[in-house]
Amino acid sequence: SSETSVAELDWPALAERVRTCTNCELHGTRIQTVFGVGSENADLLIIGEAPGAEEDRKGEPFVGRAGKLLDAMLGAIALSRDDVYIANILKCRPPNNRDPQRDESTACTPYLERQIQLLQPKVILALGRIAAQWLLQSDAPIGRLRGQKLGFGNPETPLVASYHPAYLLRSPAAKAKSWEDLRLVRKILRTTP
Ligand code: SF4
């Protein structure tokens, strides 16, 4: 029932809670919620900021050209979309793809935190400035947050921040640094029991 706290919900109940959520104003403009996709046994959790127009239509995160690039990035460390779990901080699309507002991120983050509790990933890859800054509660530019093993939550999950694939499409020169970040993710996956 809606009386049960988010922190006690299992996967199906959590997905249903999100599907019917009206906890922030974004519920009024969404086509559908974008809960997340992938393996519920994934060692790697990828977190972006929010659904865009195509995600809002399809109900899946990271689709379109940026999604294809993400798939290629995962392929480079011998992973596919089915091996990982992909979610966003916001489950509903902000109108005109504006940045998430603090109250929206605050309202939605308990769902992501529950996803992390259920998954217990070995490492989180935060893609893009918005996701990285929110998860790390930092104002530092993505160029300073990336490239190192940081952490999220309590108990702490290792977190690596990197560039959003949509940014890499516009700035291909950043791909070399993105590759360094992926290799760090791969190293954490390999060395975590
Ligand atoms: Fe609920 Fe999150 Fe959608 Fe806001 S963005 S309505 S908190 S699911």
Side-chain angles (χ1 to χ4, degrees):
S1 84
S2 60
E3 270 43 87
T4 313
S5 97
V6 168
E8 291 165 26
L9 301 176
D10 62 10
W11 280 111
L14 183 65
E16 180 60 17
R17 182 70 64 89
V18 167
R19 199 182 62 77
T20 56
C21 177
T22 56
N23 288 354
C24 83
E25 67 174 23
L26 295 178
H27 80 274
T29 47
R30 72 187 175 212
I31 296 173
Q32 60 188 316
T33 55
V34 180
F35 178 70
V37 293
S39 166
E40 291 168 6
N41 300 310
D43 290 332
L44 171 58
L45 169 60
I46 296 171
I47 302 177
E49 77 182 74
E54 207 168 339
E55 286 85 4
D56 187 34
R57 277 196 299 274
K58 293 201 171 152
E60 189 178 335
F62 286 94
V63 295
R65 285 181 69 217
K68 286 221 168 64
L69 179 54
L70 176 62
D71 292 346
M73 290 160 63
L74 290 173
I77 54 169
L79 290 172
S80 78
R81 197 171 266 251
D82 296 335
D83 300 320
V84 305
Y85 197 89
I86 308 175
N88 285 309
I89 290 169
L90 292 188
K91 311 309 191 198
C92 303
R93 181 195 180 205
N96 305 312
N97 298 339
R98 64 157 170 73
D99 286 352
Q101 291 169 1
R102 177 163 285 273
D103 62 325
E104 295 160 354
S105 298
T106 301
C108 213
T109 293
Y111 299 131
L112 180 67
E113 287 174 339
R114 183 59 184 153
Q115 288 175 307
I116 295 170
Q117 275 178 358
L118 289 167
L119 266 178
Q120 301 195 283
K122 289 181 181 176
V123 56
I124 293 169
L125 175 61
L127 291 179
R129 175 182 65 87
I130 302 274
Q133 288 184 339
W134 178 255
L135 293 171
L136 295 165
Q137 292 293 299
S138 166
D139 293 328
I142 184 72
R144 271 209 274 130
L145 296 174
R146 61 153 295 278
Q148 59 198 310
K149 181 174 156 184
L150 301 169
F152 173 78
N154 181 19
E156 195 173 82
T157 304
L159 182 149
V160 175
S162 192
Y163 297 109
H164 196 285
Y167 172 80
L168 295 175
L169 289 171
R170 297 192 300 271
S171 309
K175 280 187 183 172
K177 286 181 174 160
S178 164
W179 172 232
E180 285 173 21
D181 298 335
L182 286 169
R183 280 192 309 194
L184 176 56
V185 165
R186 183 173 62 183
K187 185 175 157 203
I188 296 168
L189 285 172
R190 283 183 178 167
T191 54
T192 307

